[in-house]
Protein backbone atom coordinates (compact mmCIF):
# COMPACT_ATOMS: atom_id res chain seq x y z
CA UNK A 1 0.00 0.00 0.00
CA UNK A 2 1.38 3.40 -0.97
CA UNK A 3 1.41 6.41 1.36
CA UNK A 4 -1.33 7.99 -0.76
CA UNK A 5 -3.51 4.90 -0.47
CA UNK A 6 -2.99 4.85 3.27
CA UNK A 7 -4.07 8.52 3.52
CA UNK A 8 -7.13 7.79 1.38
CA UNK A 9 -8.00 4.89 3.65
CA UNK A 10 -7.66 7.15 6.71
CA UNK A 11 -9.97 9.70 5.08
CA UNK A 12 -12.60 7.06 4.48
CA UNK A 13 -12.39 5.89 8.09
CA UNK A 14 -12.25 9.26 9.87
CA UNK A 15 -13.98 11.94 7.78
CA UNK A 16 -17.63 12.90 7.97
CA UNK A 17 -20.13 11.41 5.53
CA UNK A 18 -20.47 14.95 4.14
CA UNK A 19 -16.75 15.24 3.36
CA UNK A 20 -15.30 14.97 -0.14
CA UNK A 21 -12.95 12.00 -0.28
CA UNK A 22 -9.83 12.39 -2.38
CA UNK A 23 -10.25 8.92 -3.88
CA UNK A 24 -13.69 9.95 -5.17
CA UNK A 25 -12.49 13.02 -7.06
CA UNK A 26 -14.09 13.67 -10.43
CA UNK A 27 -10.55 14.00 -11.71
CA UNK A 28 -8.62 16.39 -13.92
CA UNK A 29 -9.21 17.63 -17.45
CA UNK A 30 -6.05 15.77 -18.46
CA UNK A 31 -5.43 12.44 -16.78
CA UNK A 32 -2.25 12.09 -14.74
CA UNK A 33 -0.94 9.02 -13.02
CA UNK A 34 -1.68 9.17 -9.26
CA UNK A 35 1.16 10.17 -6.95
CA UNK A 36 2.46 7.52 -4.57
CA UNK A 37 2.82 10.06 -1.75
CA UNK A 38 0.10 12.70 -2.09
CA UNK A 39 -3.64 12.57 -2.66
CA UNK A 40 -5.12 14.44 -5.61
CA UNK A 41 -6.18 17.36 -3.41
CA UNK A 42 -2.74 17.57 -1.83
CA UNK A 43 -1.25 17.79 -5.32
CA UNK A 44 -3.67 20.65 -6.12
CA UNK A 45 -2.57 22.51 -3.01
CA UNK A 46 1.12 22.12 -3.87
CA UNK A 47 0.64 23.20 -7.49
CA UNK A 48 -1.14 26.37 -6.39
CA UNK A 49 1.43 27.14 -3.71
CA UNK A 50 4.31 26.91 -6.19
CA UNK A 51 2.71 28.77 -9.13
CA UNK A 52 3.73 32.25 -10.26
CA UNK A 53 0.33 33.82 -9.64
CA UNK A 54 0.49 32.83 -5.97
CA UNK A 55 3.85 34.56 -5.55
CA UNK A 56 2.47 37.78 -7.06
CA UNK A 57 -0.23 37.99 -4.36
CA UNK A 58 2.47 39.40 -2.07
CA UNK A 59 2.36 42.67 -4.00
CA UNK A 60 -1.38 42.91 -4.67
CA UNK A 61 -3.60 45.22 -2.66
CA UNK A 62 -6.50 44.07 -0.51
CA UNK A 63 -8.29 47.34 0.42
CA UNK A 64 -5.90 50.20 1.20
CA UNK A 65 -3.76 51.14 -1.80
CA UNK A 66 -0.02 51.75 -1.43
CA UNK A 67 0.00 51.55 2.38
CA UNK A 68 2.94 53.04 4.29
CA UNK A 69 2.87 50.33 6.97
CA UNK A 70 4.01 46.74 6.53
CA UNK A 71 1.02 45.59 8.57
CA UNK A 72 -1.74 46.41 6.11
CA UNK A 73 -3.36 43.45 4.45
CA UNK A 74 -2.13 42.17 1.09
CA UNK A 75 -3.76 39.48 -1.04
CA UNK A 76 -1.16 36.99 0.12
CA UNK A 77 -1.79 37.59 3.83
CA UNK A 78 -5.54 37.50 3.22
CA UNK A 79 -5.20 34.20 1.35
CA UNK A 80 -3.21 32.64 4.18
CA UNK A 81 -5.75 33.85 6.75
CA UNK A 82 -8.62 32.36 4.74
CA UNK A 83 -6.75 29.05 4.51
CA UNK A 84 -6.06 29.02 8.26
CA UNK A 85 -9.66 29.83 9.25
CA UNK A 86 -11.12 27.36 6.76
CA UNK A 87 -8.74 24.55 7.74
CA UNK A 88 -9.47 24.99 11.44
CA UNK A 89 -13.19 24.70 10.82
CA UNK A 90 -12.75 21.86 8.32
CA UNK A 91 -10.85 19.87 10.91
CA UNK A 92 -13.61 20.38 13.45
CA UNK A 93 -16.27 19.37 10.92
CA UNK A 94 -14.20 16.36 9.81
CA UNK A 95 -14.33 17.36 6.17
CA UNK A 96 -11.39 17.33 3.77
CA UNK A 97 -8.70 19.76 4.96
CA UNK A 98 -6.55 19.30 1.85
CA UNK A 99 -9.35 20.22 -0.54
CA UNK A 100 -10.35 23.12 1.71
CA UNK A 101 -6.78 24.43 1.74
CA UNK A 102 -6.34 24.06 -2.02
CA UNK A 103 -9.50 26.08 -2.70
CA UNK A 104 -8.53 28.73 -0.14
CA UNK A 105 -5.00 29.14 -1.51
CA UNK A 106 -6.30 29.44 -5.09
CA UNK A 107 -9.40 31.54 -4.59
CA UNK A 108 -7.83 34.97 -5.29
CA UNK A 109 -5.17 34.07 -7.85
CA UNK A 110 -7.09 35.99 -10.52
CA UNK A 111 -7.37 39.26 -8.63
CA UNK A 112 -6.19 42.43 -10.34
CA UNK A 113 -3.70 45.03 -9.17
CA UNK A 114 -5.32 47.66 -6.92
CA UNK A 115 -7.90 45.27 -5.51
CA UNK A 116 -11.55 45.68 -6.42
CA UNK A 117 -10.84 49.07 -8.04
CA UNK A 118 -8.81 47.28 -10.70
CA UNK A 119 -11.46 44.61 -11.01
CA UNK A 120 -14.23 47.16 -11.59
CA UNK A 121 -12.39 49.03 -14.33
CA UNK A 122 -11.48 45.85 -16.23
CA UNK A 123 -15.09 44.72 -16.02
CA UNK A 124 -16.15 48.06 -17.51
CA UNK A 125 -13.67 48.29 -20.39
CA UNK A 126 -13.11 44.66 -21.39
CA UNK A 127 -15.84 43.37 -23.73
CA UNK A 128 -15.47 39.91 -22.16
CA UNK A 129 -16.29 41.40 -18.73
CA UNK A 130 -14.22 40.51 -15.71
CA UNK A 131 -14.70 38.92 -12.30
CA UNK A 132 -11.81 37.80 -10.16
CA UNK A 133 -13.33 34.38 -9.34
CA UNK A 134 -13.76 33.42 -12.98
CA UNK A 135 -10.35 34.87 -13.71
CA UNK A 136 -8.82 32.76 -10.95
CA UNK A 137 -10.12 29.72 -12.81
CA UNK A 138 -8.66 31.09 -16.05
CA UNK A 139 -5.30 31.57 -14.34
CA UNK A 140 -5.08 27.95 -13.21
CA UNK A 141 -6.53 26.42 -16.39
CA UNK A 142 -5.11 28.63 -19.16
CA UNK A 143 -2.46 31.10 -18.05
CA UNK A 144 -0.16 29.30 -15.64
CA UNK A 145 2.84 27.30 -16.90
CA UNK A 146 2.90 29.21 -20.19
CA UNK A 147 -0.54 28.08 -21.26
CA UNK A 148 -0.50 24.54 -19.90
CA UNK A 149 -2.38 25.42 -16.70
CA UNK A 150 -2.12 23.59 -13.40
CA UNK A 151 -4.56 20.81 -14.37
CA UNK A 152 -6.39 20.94 -11.02
CA UNK A 153 -9.19 18.62 -9.96
CA UNK A 154 -12.81 19.45 -10.73
CA UNK A 155 -13.56 19.95 -7.02
CA UNK A 156 -10.83 22.54 -6.51
CA UNK A 157 -11.86 24.43 -9.65
CA UNK A 158 -15.49 24.41 -8.54
CA UNK A 159 -14.59 25.85 -5.13
CA UNK A 160 -12.43 28.59 -6.65
CA UNK A 161 -15.11 29.52 -9.20
CA UNK A 162 -17.87 29.76 -6.59
CA UNK A 163 -16.05 31.35 -3.66
CA UNK A 164 -17.57 34.79 -4.28
CA UNK A 165 -20.93 34.13 -5.89
CA UNK A 166 -22.60 30.87 -6.78
CA UNK A 167 -22.89 27.68 -4.78
CA UNK A 168 -19.97 25.27 -4.62
CA UNK A 169 -20.79 21.60 -5.05
CA UNK A 170 -18.69 20.53 -2.06
CA UNK A 171 -19.04 21.40 1.61
CA UNK A 172 -15.35 22.34 1.52
CA UNK A 173 -15.97 24.90 -1.20
CA UNK A 174 -18.91 26.41 0.67
CA UNK A 175 -16.79 26.63 3.82
CA UNK A 176 -14.09 28.62 1.99
CA UNK A 177 -16.75 31.04 0.78
CA UNK A 178 -17.74 32.01 4.33
CA UNK A 179 -14.13 31.89 5.60
CA UNK A 180 -13.20 34.42 2.90
CA UNK A 181 -15.78 36.91 4.19
CA UNK A 182 -14.89 36.32 7.83
CA UNK A 183 -11.19 36.89 7.10
CA UNK A 184 -11.46 40.08 5.06
CA UNK A 185 -14.10 41.79 7.19
CA UNK A 186 -12.20 41.32 10.42
CA UNK A 187 -8.77 42.20 9.08
CA UNK A 188 -10.18 45.17 7.19
CA UNK A 189 -11.59 46.47 10.48
CA UNK A 190 -8.06 46.41 11.88
CA UNK A 191 -6.68 48.18 8.80
CA UNK A 192 -9.42 50.82 8.91
CA UNK A 193 -8.67 51.55 12.57
CA UNK A 194 -4.93 51.64 11.81
CA UNK A 195 -5.59 54.10 8.98
CA UNK A 196 -7.73 56.35 11.18
CA UNK A 197 -10.82 55.69 9.12
CA UNK A 198 -12.63 54.06 12.06
CA UNK A 199 -12.31 53.81 15.80
CA UNK A 200 -13.38 50.80 17.86
CA UNK A 201 -16.25 52.90 19.16
CA UNK A 202 -17.60 53.36 15.62
CA UNK A 203 -18.33 49.65 15.20
CA UNK A 204 -21.99 48.67 15.69
CA UNK A 205 -22.12 47.72 19.36
CA UNK A 206 -24.88 45.14 19.00
CA UNK A 207 -22.61 43.22 16.60
CA UNK A 208 -19.66 43.53 18.95
CA UNK A 209 -21.71 42.23 21.87
CA UNK A 210 -22.54 39.08 19.89
CA UNK A 211 -19.24 38.51 18.06
CA UNK A 212 -16.59 40.02 20.35
CA UNK A 213 -14.53 43.18 20.65
CA UNK A 214 -11.35 41.89 18.95
CA UNK A 215 -10.54 40.22 15.64
CA UNK A 216 -9.60 37.00 17.39
CA UNK A 217 -12.79 36.85 19.44
CA UNK A 218 -15.00 37.53 16.40
CA UNK A 219 -13.37 34.83 14.29
CA UNK A 220 -13.56 32.37 17.19
CA UNK A 221 -17.24 33.14 17.76
CA UNK A 222 -18.11 32.54 14.11
CA UNK A 223 -15.95 29.42 13.80
CA UNK A 224 -17.46 27.94 16.97
CA UNK A 225 -20.98 28.69 15.76
CA UNK A 226 -20.30 27.02 12.39
CA UNK A 227 -18.98 23.95 14.16
CA UNK A 228 -22.09 23.78 16.35
CA UNK A 229 -24.71 24.38 13.67
CA UNK A 230 -23.33 22.82 10.46
CA UNK A 231 -24.83 19.52 9.38
CA UNK A 232 -25.41 18.91 5.66
CA UNK A 233 -24.51 22.51 4.79
CA UNK A 234 -22.52 25.36 6.33
CA UNK A 235 -24.63 27.13 8.96
CA UNK A 236 -24.30 29.20 12.12
CA UNK A 237 -26.52 30.49 14.89
CA UNK A 238 -29.10 33.01 13.58
CA UNK A 239 -27.90 35.77 15.93
CA UNK A 240 -24.27 35.20 14.88
CA UNK A 241 -25.16 35.22 11.19
CA UNK A 242 -27.21 38.39 11.63
CA UNK A 243 -24.37 40.16 13.46
CA UNK A 244 -21.83 39.01 10.85
CA UNK A 245 -24.00 40.27 7.98
CA UNK A 246 -24.67 43.57 9.70
CA UNK A 247 -20.96 44.10 10.36
CA UNK A 248 -20.19 43.35 6.70
CA UNK A 249 -22.84 45.86 5.60
CA UNK A 250 -21.35 48.42 7.99
CA UNK A 251 -17.90 47.96 6.41
CA UNK A 252 -19.27 48.50 2.91
CA UNK A 253 -21.11 51.64 3.95
CA UNK A 254 -18.35 53.18 6.08
CA UNK A 255 -15.08 51.89 4.60
CA UNK A 256 -15.21 50.14 1.25
CA UNK A 257 -17.46 52.67 -0.51
CA UNK A 258 -17.38 55.80 1.63
CA UNK A 259 -13.85 56.98 2.51
CA UNK A 260 -12.90 60.09 0.47
CA UNK A 261 -9.13 59.55 0.74
CA UNK A 262 -9.49 55.91 -0.26
CA UNK A 263 -11.75 56.85 -3.18
CA UNK A 264 -9.23 59.45 -4.35
CA UNK A 265 -6.46 56.87 -4.42
CA UNK A 266 -8.72 54.40 -6.21
CA UNK A 267 -9.50 57.03 -8.86
CA UNK A 268 -5.76 57.26 -9.56
CA UNK A 269 -5.55 53.47 -9.71
CA UNK A 270 -8.43 53.36 -12.19
CA UNK A 271 -6.63 55.87 -14.39
CA UNK A 272 -3.47 53.77 -14.35
CA UNK A 273 -5.33 50.58 -15.32
CA UNK A 274 -7.34 52.33 -18.03
CA UNK A 275 -4.32 53.96 -19.64
CA UNK A 276 -2.28 50.78 -19.53
CA UNK A 277 -5.14 48.80 -21.03
CA UNK A 278 -5.66 51.21 -23.93
CA UNK A 279 -1.92 51.50 -24.49
CA UNK A 280 -1.51 47.79 -25.12
CA UNK A 281 -4.60 47.73 -27.35
CA UNK A 282 -2.73 50.05 -29.71
CA UNK A 283 0.76 48.62 -29.09
CA UNK A 284 0.18 44.89 -29.40
CA UNK A 285 3.79 44.21 -30.35
CA UNK A 286 4.90 45.40 -26.90
CA UNK A 287 2.97 42.62 -25.17
CA UNK A 288 5.11 39.68 -24.03
CA UNK A 289 5.17 36.85 -26.57
CA UNK A 290 2.87 34.63 -24.49
CA UNK A 291 0.11 37.25 -24.53
CA UNK A 292 0.57 37.95 -28.23
CA UNK A 293 -0.14 34.26 -28.77
CA UNK A 294 -3.36 34.61 -26.75
CA UNK A 295 -4.32 37.57 -28.95
CA UNK A 296 -3.95 35.35 -32.01
CA UNK A 297 -5.80 32.36 -30.53
CA UNK A 298 -8.60 34.36 -28.88
CA UNK A 299 -8.51 38.14 -29.33
CA UNK A 300 -6.50 41.22 -28.34
CA UNK A 301 -8.87 42.35 -25.58
CA UNK A 302 -8.58 38.99 -23.87
CA UNK A 303 -4.79 39.09 -24.11
CA UNK A 304 -4.52 42.61 -22.72
CA UNK A 305 -6.95 41.80 -19.90
CA UNK A 306 -4.93 38.69 -19.01
CA UNK A 307 -1.69 40.68 -18.96
CA UNK A 308 -3.02 43.63 -16.93
CA UNK A 309 -4.93 41.50 -14.42
CA UNK A 310 -1.84 39.42 -13.67
CA UNK A 311 0.29 42.43 -12.78
CA UNK A 312 1.13 43.25 -9.17
CA UNK A 313 0.53 46.79 -7.90
CA UNK A 314 4.28 47.45 -7.95
CA UNK A 315 4.77 46.17 -11.47
CA UNK A 316 1.89 48.06 -13.07
CA UNK A 317 3.09 51.32 -11.48
CA UNK A 318 6.63 50.69 -12.74
CA UNK A 319 5.37 50.00 -16.25
CA UNK A 320 3.11 53.07 -16.09
CA UNK A 321 6.04 55.28 -15.12
CA UNK A 322 8.18 53.81 -17.90
CA UNK A 323 5.49 54.38 -20.50
CA UNK A 324 3.93 57.69 -19.48
CA UNK A 325 6.38 59.63 -17.28
CA UNK A 326 9.68 61.03 -18.65
CA UNK A 327 12.54 59.18 -16.99
CA UNK A 328 14.24 62.39 -15.87
CA UNK A 329 11.12 63.31 -13.85
CA UNK A 330 10.85 60.07 -11.90
CA UNK A 331 13.81 60.96 -9.68
CA UNK A 332 12.73 64.48 -8.76
CA UNK A 333 11.56 63.46 -5.26
CA UNK A 334 14.80 61.71 -4.42
Amino acid sequence: MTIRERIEQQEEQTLSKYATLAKNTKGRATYQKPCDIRTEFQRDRDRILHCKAFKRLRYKTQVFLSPDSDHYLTRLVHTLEVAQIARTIARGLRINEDLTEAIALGHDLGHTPFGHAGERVLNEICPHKFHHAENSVRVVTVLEKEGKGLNLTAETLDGIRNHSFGHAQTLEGRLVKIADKVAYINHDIEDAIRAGVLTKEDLPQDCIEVLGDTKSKRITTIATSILEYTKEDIAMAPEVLQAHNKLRKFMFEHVYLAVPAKQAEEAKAVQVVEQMYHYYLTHEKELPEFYRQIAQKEDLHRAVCDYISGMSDHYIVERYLDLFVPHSWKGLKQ
Side-chain angles (χ1 to χ4, degrees):
M1 181 179 289
T2 66
I3 294 174
R4 169 186 56 79
E5 289 170 335
R6 189 159 61 246
I7 296 171
E8 290 174 345
Q9 186 180 76
Q10 290 171 349
E11 285 186 356
E12 191 169 21
Q13 292 171 348
T14 62
L15 294 186
S16 161
K17 64 180 180 180
Y18 303 115
T20 305
L21 300 181
K23 73 170 192 175
N24 294 336
T25 177
K26 295 178 181 177
R28 309 176 188 278
T30 301
Y31 173 78
Q32 288 182 301
K33 181 182 177 181
C35 175
D36 287 341
I37 300 172
R38 299 166 299 164
T39 69
E40 296 303 319
F41 299 147
Q42 288 174 329
R43 294 176 83 182
D44 282 358
R45 176 201 60 202
D46 293 351
R47 290 177 185 190
I48 291 168
L49 188 63
H50 291 286
C51 76
K52 292 180 179 178
F54 187 82
K55 296 177 177 64
R56 291 196 297 269
L57 295 178
R58 177 185 178 189
Y59 295 111
K60 289 198 175 188
T61 293
Q62 178 73 6
V63 174
F64 292 91
L65 306 186
S66 303
D68 294 328
S69 169
D70 289 338
H71 299 120
Y72 284 94
L73 197 64
T74 65
R75 284 286 160 198
L76 179 58
V77 175
H78 165 70
T79 295
L80 296 176
E81 289 190 353
V82 174
Q84 179 271 323
I85 293 169
R87 280 193 61 189
T88 297
I89 300 172
R91 185 177 301 140
L93 293 175
R94 294 189 299 114
I95 60 177
N96 200 302
E97 280 188 62
D98 296 322
L99 173 58
T100 299
E101 185 177 25
I103 295 169
L105 292 177
H107 83 280
D108 268 357
L109 291 179
H111 241 300
T112 62
F114 307 129
H116 289 286
E119 180 177 27
R120 286 193 295 271
V121 67
L122 285 183
N123 186 52
E124 291 172 0
I125 63 180
C126 180
H128 300 288
K129 299 301 178 183
F130 185 93
H131 189 274
H132 74 273
E134 286 294 337
N135 197 53
S136 293
V137 174
R138 181 169 173 82
V139 167
V140 298
T141 57
V142 178
L143 302 181
E144 274 293 327
K145 298 182 71 173
E146 297 300 313
K148 296 179 182 178
L150 302 182
N151 195 28
L152 303 179
T153 63
E155 292 81 6
T156 298
L157 291 176
D158 172 73
I160 292 173
R161 178 180 289 109
N162 291 292
H163 81 268
S164 183
F165 299 104
H167 188 75
Q169 295 179 7
T170 65
L171 197 61
E172 291 84 358
R174 299 194 289 277
L175 172 58
V176 171
K177 183 175 182 177
I178 186 63
D180 180 32
K181 293 180 174 63
V182 171
Y184 75 68
I185 290 169
N186 286 286
H187 201 125
D188 291 348
I189 288 173
E190 285 193 336
D191 282 356
I193 292 173
R194 185 177 293 113
V197 173
L198 294 176
T199 67
K200 288 185 177 180
E201 291 70 29
D202 292 327
L203 299 173
Q205 290 306 302
D206 55 342
C207 297
I208 300 307
E209 288 175 6
V210 173
L211 301 176
D213 59 358
T214 67
K215 173 186 175 183
S216 177
K217 289 179 182 178
R218 289 189 290 269
I219 293 174
T220 299
T221 297
I222 293 172
T224 301
S225 187
I226 291 174
L227 290 171
E228 290 176 351
Y229 278 78
T230 294
K231 301 233 185 303
E232 296 182 14
D233 206 352
I234 303 299
M236 64 181 84
E239 64 273 15
V240 173
L241 178 60
Q242 182 179 7
H244 166 72
N245 288 340
K246 183 174 181 179
L247 191 58
R248 182 171 181 267
K249 181 179 179 182
F250 171 86
M251 289 297 291
F252 272 91
E253 293 176 347
H254 293 85
V255 177
Y256 302 140
L257 304 176
V259 178
K262 177 176 174 294
Q263 290 178 329
E265 292 303 303
E266 287 185 352
K268 298 175 188 176
V270 166
Q271 182 179 2
V272 169
V273 175
E274 285 181 339
Q275 286 191 245
M276 291 289 287
Y277 190 95
H278 292 300
Y279 177 84
Y280 284 111
L281 281 182
T282 55
H283 296 78
E284 180 180 350
K285 292 183 179 180
E286 294 187 33
L287 286 169
E289 172 62 22
F290 174 64
Y291 295 97
R292 293 202 301 273
Q293 292 176 4
I294 292 176
Q296 295 174 358
K297 294 177 182 177
E298 299 186 55
D299 61 63
L300 183 56
H301 277 281
R302 176 65 78 186
V304 172
C305 189
D306 286 341
Y307 186 42
I308 298 286
S309 65
M311 293 181 177
S312 67
D313 296 28
H314 289 189
Y315 184 73
I316 195 171
V317 169
E318 288 178 1
R319 293 295 299 136
Y320 181 86
L321 292 174
D322 285 340
L323 292 172
F324 297 107
V325 177
H327 285 212
S328 59
W329 291 9
K330 290 192 293 181
L332 290 180
K333 292 185 178 180
Q334 297 179 357

